[in-house]
């Protein structure tokens, strides 16, 4: 790999949404890798989802040898579709210090890479997506867009390093590019902070309107907006950003570029009077296990109504784990007289996908497969002309169950 270069790599599926991707080169500029310049719908693809599917298979094999270490990998990398967990959160699960979790994770990644190299399996998808002949700038652009589109900023360094190593890149090269990814994420935060403090012009206020137009409102009056966060934030934890916002008059923490983007839109919007991040702890059950969700933000509009908004990347809103989370948060919001909305990082929202037109042949074929039992990844990829957005739309419309890591789709 070379650290220089004047082009960037963008991945797009071919015309049928399957098989090898098409490489599209773009010029590198000062804004290269800035997520705010892109609607993430352009980066949602089955090819990107296949990266996670292969990682899940490798981790499942590792679980046969070291179950605890594999679970730490799964939680840290967000393999099942949840946002990656911080080292401190994982440490609390296993009653281990954050640094010890980091050591276990690092060792497990090394073992995973060595096993993949020895067996010679499952490396093709990585080699195609992160080719050995690519410049650092090309790899950087690809990894940054994947990070933003999947809302995985917290584990961006680990994911970038692992993907590059599985693609065959040398350890020192993978470390360098993964370091560049984190440097660029920190640059996003500084840039966003500058905009929020009015050193640069705010975004057009109309950018929030599509999301507000899709709010699911209940009847009745809204309960008051909470005055503090329901989540205890470890300011020293990895991957977390923080900036001062004039609209609320205090520091606000965020975990990802998508969250920072939403906060910026809320701050700039004339329709929003004020807001409170992570205002509530919503308890629910997922497959019999107790879970707690912290929806991203509650905003009080200028008309006095309150809306609870959760950040979920567009490509992930069909996952069973996120749909269960959303159902619980929606019920909680409506009980308080609040509206409910999911912000996807795109102008496309859940209502748009529910009404998305999908090729009748594709819908019929997938429906036939589901009637015979769970659909697995290899069978899904045999369906011609199926795109990721089609799959999400059909999952939401028919209320199918989409489990991730490993992939299964069932009625």
């Amino acid at each position: 790999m070379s650290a220089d270069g004047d082009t960037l790599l963008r991945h797009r599926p071919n015309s049928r949404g399957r098989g090898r991707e098409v490489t599209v080169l773009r010029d590198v500029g000062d804004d290269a890798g800035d997520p705010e310049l892109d609607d993430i719908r352009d980066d949602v693809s089955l090819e990107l989802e296949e990266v996670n599917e292969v990682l899940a298979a490798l981790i499942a094999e590792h679980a046969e040898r070291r179950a605890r270490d594999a679970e730490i990998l799964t939680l840290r990398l967000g393999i099942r579709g949840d946002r990656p967990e911080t080292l401190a959160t994982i440490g609390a699960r296993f009653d281990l210090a954050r640094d010890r979790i980091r050591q276990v994770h690092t060792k497990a990644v090394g073992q995973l890479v060595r096993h993949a190299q020895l067996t010679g399996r499952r490396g093709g998808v990585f080699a195609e997506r992160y080719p050995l002949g690519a410049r650092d700038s090309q790899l950087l652009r690809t990894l940054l867009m994947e990070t933003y589109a999947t809302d995985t900023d917290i584990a961006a360094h680990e994911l970038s390093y692992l993907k590059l190593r599985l693609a065959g890149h040398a350890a020192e090269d993978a470390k360098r590019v993964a370091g560049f990814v984190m440097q660029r994420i920190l640059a996003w935060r500084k840039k966003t902070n500058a905009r929020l403090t009015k050193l640069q012009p705010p975004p057009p206020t109309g950018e929030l309107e599509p999301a507000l137009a899709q709010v699911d409102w209940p009847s009745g009056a809204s309960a008051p907006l909470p005055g503090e966060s329901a989540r205890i934030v470890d300011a020293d934890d990895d991957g977390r950003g923080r900036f001062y916002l004039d609209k609320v008059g205090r520091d606000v923490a965020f975990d990802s570029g998508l969250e920072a983007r939403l906060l910026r839109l809320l701050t700039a919007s004339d329709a929003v009077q004020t807001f409170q991040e992570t205002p509530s702890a919503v308890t629910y059950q997922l497959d019999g296990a107790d879970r707690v969700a912290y929806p991203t933000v509650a905003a009080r509009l200028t008309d006095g109504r309150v809306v609870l908004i959760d950040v979920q990347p567009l490509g992930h809103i069909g996952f069973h784990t996120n749909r269960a989370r959303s159902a619980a948060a929606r019920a909680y919001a409506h009980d308080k007289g609040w509206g409910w909305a999911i912000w996807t990082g795109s102008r496309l929202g859940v209502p748009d996908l529910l009404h998305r037109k999908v090729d009748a042949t594709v819908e019929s074929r997938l429906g036939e497969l589901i009637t015979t039992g769970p659909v697995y990844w290899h069978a899904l990829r045999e369906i011609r002309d199926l795109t990721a957005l089609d799959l999400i739309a059909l999952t939401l419309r028919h209320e199918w169950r989409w489990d991730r890591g490993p992939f299964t789709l069932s009625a």
Side-chain angles (χ1 to χ4, degrees):
M1 292 185 294
S2 171
D4 59 359
D6 57 359
T7 56
L8 291 173
L9 187 69
R10 294 302 300 272
H11 289 294
R12 292 288 181 270
N14 63 20
S15 60
R16 291 181 174 175
R18 59 193 293 266
R20 293 179 62 88
E21 294 177 321
V22 178
T23 298
V24 181
L25 298 179
R26 291 177 54 177
D27 291 336
V28 175
D30 292 338
D31 291 320
D34 185 345
E36 298 188 2
L37 300 180
D38 294 297
D39 186 313
I40 69 170
R41 66 180 294 175
D42 296 332
D43 295 287
V44 175
S45 69
L46 292 178
E47 285 73 21
L48 177 55
E49 191 59 27
E50 188 163 14
V51 170
N52 187 84
E53 181 65 13
V54 176
L55 282 176
L58 289 169
I59 292 173
E61 293 175 3
H62 191 69
E64 297 175 1
R65 302 183 295 275
R66 295 181 178 273
R68 185 199 65 172
D69 295 3
E71 182 64 12
I72 289 173
L73 284 171
T74 297
L75 295 171
R76 179 59 175 169
L77 303 179
I79 296 298
R80 297 192 185 104
D82 299 299
R83 178 179 289 170
E85 294 190 7
T86 66
L87 298 174
T89 302
I90 299 172
R93 284 177 177 266
F94 291 92
D95 195 24
L96 294 172
R98 180 172 57 194
D99 287 344
R100 178 56 182 155
I101 292 295
R102 188 191 305 277
Q103 292 170 358
V104 172
H105 181 274
T106 300
K107 182 178 179 180
V109 166
Q111 293 170 338
L112 201 73
V113 170
R114 285 193 295 274
H115 179 72
Q117 291 172 339
L118 288 173
T119 59
R121 294 182 293 117
R122 305 187 186 278
V125 63
F126 300 100
E128 289 184 14
R129 199 165 182 90
Y130 322 105
L132 288 175
R135 295 187 175 102
D136 284 4
S137 58
Q138 295 173 326
L139 297 168
L140 175 62
R141 177 72 183 198
T142 301
L143 292 165
L144 283 170
M145 287 300 100
E146 290 177 359
T147 298
Y148 186 64
T150 56
D151 202 29
T152 51
D153 301 46
I154 286 177
H157 187 276
E158 293 96 324
L159 276 167
S160 297
Y161 175 81
L162 180 55
K163 291 172 181 177
L164 293 173
R165 292 290 284 130
L166 291 172
H169 294 275
E172 59 270 23
D173 291 335
K175 287 179 182 178
R176 182 179 66 253
V177 176
F180 291 160
V181 170
M182 290 308 301
Q183 289 175 13
R184 187 56 61 87
I185 288 174
L186 292 175
W188 289 346
R189 292 176 182 171
K190 290 181 180 179
K191 187 175 183 179
T192 300
N193 200 10
R195 286 170 172 163
L196 288 168
T197 53
K198 300 182 180 179
L199 296 178
Q200 296 186 29
T205 55
E207 288 190 42
L208 192 62
E209 290 178 358
L212 294 180
Q214 296 184 350
V215 173
D216 181 1
W217 293 105
S219 58
S222 293
L225 187 72
E228 60 183 10
S229 172
R231 186 179 68 173
I232 298 175
V233 176
D234 181 357
D236 296 326
D237 207 348
D238 52 302
R240 181 161 287 132
R242 178 181 292 271
F243 39 46
Y244 180 85
L245 302 181
D246 285 337
K247 180 164 276 189
V248 294
R250 55 181 168 77
D251 283 348
V252 176
F254 61 90
D255 288 334
S256 68
L258 280 180
E259 284 192 1
R261 177 65 171 168
L262 176 60
L263 291 171
R264 182 177 172 232
L265 293 174
L266 292 171
T267 299
S269 175
D270 293 333
V272 176
Q273 184 181 72
T274 188
F275 55 85
Q276 172 62 57
E277 73 281 8
T278 55
S280 309
V282 179
T283 58
Y284 64 105
Q285 283 202 330
L286 178 65
D287 299 333
D290 293 331
R291 302 286 292 268
V292 180
Y294 296 92
T296 307
V297 64
R300 184 168 67 233
L301 307 183
T302 53
D303 62 10
R305 295 182 297 174
V306 175
V307 55
L308 185 64
I309 307 173
D310 196 33
V311 169
Q312 294 180 24
L314 180 63
H316 291 190
I317 59 176
F319 298 160
H320 175 63
T321 181
N322 287 334
R323 290 177 62 203
R325 168 193 174 106
S326 296
R330 177 183 180 274
Y332 176 90
H334 283 190
D335 283 345
K336 298 182 77 65
W338 297 351
W340 163 250
I342 297 172
W343 192 72
T344 65
S346 168
R347 289 182 176 270
L348 285 180
V350 173
D352 299 307
L353 289 168
L354 284 170
H355 295 93
R356 178 181 173 86
K357 183 177 291 186
V358 179
D359 182 272
T361 302
V362 170
E363 183 170 4
S364 175
R365 177 57 180 152
L366 189 52
E368 290 173 0
L369 288 175
I370 286 180
T371 60
T372 63
V375 178
Y376 299 103
W377 187 255
H378 67 277
L380 182 86
R381 298 296 278 137
E382 292 299 317
I383 301 177
R384 299 172 66 88
D385 300 321
L386 176 68
T387 69
L389 291 179
D390 290 342
L391 178 59
I392 297 167
L394 293 174
T395 298
L396 296 175
R397 188 179 306 159
H398 295 287
E399 297 186 346
W400 292 334
R401 173 167 174 155
W402 178 349
D403 288 298
R404 189 185 196 228
F407 172 89
T408 59
L409 188 68
S410 54

